[in-house]
Amino acid sequence: MHTTTVGIIGGGPAGLLLARLLHNAGIDSVVLELRDRAYVEQRQRAGILEQATVDALRAAGAGARMDAEGIPHDGIELRFGRRAHRIDFPSLTGGRSVMVYAQTEVVKDLVALQLAEGDRLLFGAEVTSVEGADSDTPVVRFVHEGREQTLSCDYVVGCDGFHGVTRDSVPESLRTTYERTYPYSWLGVLAEAPPVYDELVYAHSERGFALASMRSATVSRLYLQVPNGTDPADWSSERIWDELDARFALDGDPGWKLERGRVTSKAVLPMRSHVTEPMRYGRVLLAGDAAHIVPPTGAKGLNLAVADVVVLARALARWRETGGTELLDAYSDTCLRRVWRAEHFSYAMTTMLHTGPAQSPFETKLQLSQLERIATSPHAAAELAENYTGLPLPR
């Protein structure tokens, strides 16, 4: 049997950052990741980092490459009614902004630090069960390199995502689930093409939502609203580019077209909202997607995971230093306040910008009215900007 202070299930950004924060606090941990290193480092996810996430990565010692290669953004552009309006973040938030830096790169940075300086990180470790959540030493059972093994811990943290085993190891009678499934998905595309604009563009159109983001000066990340169940193979490169042109079109520039390039990957992403309460069961705690999912419109998924583990690392450090559990006892309530704020913002952005399959003209007028309000009211724009750049982490 292996032993450690904190067993971390899941080697994505939440689990890896938690391990790094615990290492910096002198607390040992073991990270168990189901997939191999190559898969983990290539897993495409969000690329927008809130100010608090940027600050947390820097404080953890994982910000050097992000600062060198990330792309700071001071705003976004909203397109609706074939017009464009920019939201300036610093002027509306007291100076806050966001950073475009892909989750794949965050993970690469954290993996390299963990392997060079941190405690054990086991790839290809399949967790089969978590036992003894209500005991002083919960146990994680897993298979690694063909052998069944056990890990005895003081605390277990599930950072293993929406489909992980940690949440399901807790009896349903002890947890409550809140969820919503949306009647559309995103077709996500990576393309060897320069960005549409030097900031993100969110477009509302009668044809459906579109988003233009970027990975670098030569690689674009693009999204199209599509019906649930869409097969990416049905979308040729020409069809993708034609639809993007139509949804980003502006009356003031009728000849405007995106600069096209080779589409290197495409996948359909479902849209859902999901929260599990509480986020702690005895000595088993949930963080990131294991506890909550948001639709990607608000760019909150990765940032919520970072906020969770920052709060949790502080709580574990307090416990190690003083024996006190007051911060651990407050962990779930502390995180859920931020989670529900992000759920609301993500829901509002999603329903404001997407066209439902049975949407009425009345509903479309309501969307356009809200977008117009944001474009003309500093107070409405500030509400969007403050939520988008991220609320301060709890102290």
Side-chain angles (χ1 to χ4, degrees):
M1 175 182 287
H2 305 281
T3 61
T4 189
T5 301
V6 181
I8 301 172
I9 304 174
L16 292 167
L17 180 59
L18 177 59
R20 178 66 182 176
L21 294 171
L22 294 178
H23 172 78
N24 290 348
I27 301 173
D28 62 297
S29 67
V30 174
V31 181
L32 304 174
E33 166 55 43
L34 174 62
R35 305 288 190 168
D36 62 28
R37 180 177 179 179
Y39 182 94
V40 169
E41 293 185 341
Q42 295 171 10
R43 195 160 39 193
Q44 292 289 337
R45 293 292 188 273
I48 305 299
L49 307 184
E50 294 176 358
Q51 185 71 62
T53 298
V54 170
D55 294 342
L57 290 170
R58 287 172 178 159
R65 197 162 68 93
M66 173 189 69
D67 284 332
E69 300 178 14
I71 308 171
H73 277 202
D74 287 338
I76 59 172
E77 183 177 281
L78 297 176
R79 293 192 181 188
F80 61 96
R82 300 175 69 88
R83 294 177 290 125
H85 179 81
R86 182 174 182 270
I87 305 295
D88 183 80
F89 292 155
S91 67
L92 295 164
T93 64
R96 295 205 305 274
S97 59
V98 297
M99 177 84 76
V100 175
Y101 190 62
Q103 178 172 312
T104 52
E105 306 314 300
V106 173
V107 169
K108 289 174 186 175
D109 295 343
L110 290 169
V111 166
L113 282 170
Q114 185 72 8
L115 294 177
E117 305 173 8
D119 297 308
R120 285 170 289 174
L121 166 57
L122 302 182
F123 291 106
E126 181 182 1
V127 174
T128 55
S129 66
V130 180
E131 302 170 3
D134 54 354
S135 73
D136 290 339
T137 53
V139 171
V140 179
R141 298 189 182 277
F142 65 101
V143 178
H144 184 243
E145 296 180 343
R147 293 192 302 117
E148 294 184 0
Q149 303 182 53
T150 57
L151 178 65
S152 178
C153 318
D154 290 309
Y155 287 94
V156 174
V157 182
C159 301
D160 48 347
F162 183 75
H163 298 290
V165 302
T166 312
R167 184 181 66 245
D168 288 341
S169 72
V170 178
E172 289 189 10
S173 61
L174 298 181
R175 51 190 166 100
T176 302
T177 297
Y178 304 90
E179 57 188 340
R180 176 187 177 91
T181 300
Y182 296 83
Y184 32 70
S185 299
W186 279 9
L187 175 65
V189 173
L190 271 176
E192 294 174 347
V196 173
Y197 184 56
D198 56 4
E199 295 173 338
L200 273 68
V201 181
Y202 288 76
H204 173 286
S205 83
E206 66 279 2
R207 303 176 68 94
F209 170 76
L211 169 61
S213 183
M214 64 201 69
R215 287 293 179 264
S216 70
T218 58
V219 177
S220 290
R221 182 68 166 154
L222 304 155
Y223 301 93
L224 287 167
Q225 176 189 336
V226 294
N228 288 340
T230 291
D231 184 348
D234 293 337
W235 283 77
S236 66
S237 295
E238 183 178 12
R239 183 184 180 191
I240 289 169
W241 289 114
D242 287 347
E243 192 62 28
L244 288 165
D245 282 340
R247 297 189 191 187
F248 286 120
L250 297 170
D251 279 343
D253 190 3
W256 179 86
K257 299 288 184 184
L258 283 79
E259 187 170 337
R260 302 187 175 195
R262 185 172 72 93
V263 173
T264 57
S265 73
K266 53 187 175 181
V268 171
L269 315 173
M271 307 278 282
R272 66 166 66 94
S273 299
H274 177 105
V275 179
T276 294
E277 294 189 5
M279 292 170 58
R280 179 188 176 186
Y281 311 88
R283 292 200 170 215
V284 173
L285 305 102
L286 303 178
D289 287 0
H292 40 72
I293 295 285
V294 289
T297 326
K300 292 293 160 217
L302 171 60
N303 296 293
L304 280 180
V306 168
D308 289 348
V309 299
V310 168
V311 171
L312 182 52
R314 289 174 183 161
L316 288 165
R318 176 71 64 85
W319 164 75
R320 170 53 68 87
E321 292 166 3
T322 69
T325 62
E326 65 276 7
L327 294 185
L328 284 167
D329 295 338
Y331 168 71
S332 183
D333 289 342
T334 300
C335 289
L336 284 169
R337 283 192 291 272
R338 186 185 186 89
V339 166
W340 279 112
R341 181 65 253 149
E343 290 283 354
H344 181 272
F345 175 68
S346 300
Y347 168 83
M349 287 284 285
T350 301
T351 54
M352 177 177 69
L353 289 164
H354 290 72
T355 303
Q359 183 161 309
S360 68
F362 177 83
E363 292 169 310
T364 300
K365 284 290 189 179
L366 290 179
Q367 291 176 319
L368 293 172
S369 174
Q370 180 61 17
L371 287 162
E372 191 68 37
R373 168 72 176 166
I374 292 168
T376 56
S377 166
H379 299 292
E383 178 71 11
L384 187 154
E386 287 175 357
N387 280 279
Y388 196 98
T389 57
L391 305 177
L393 290 175
R395 293 288 180 184

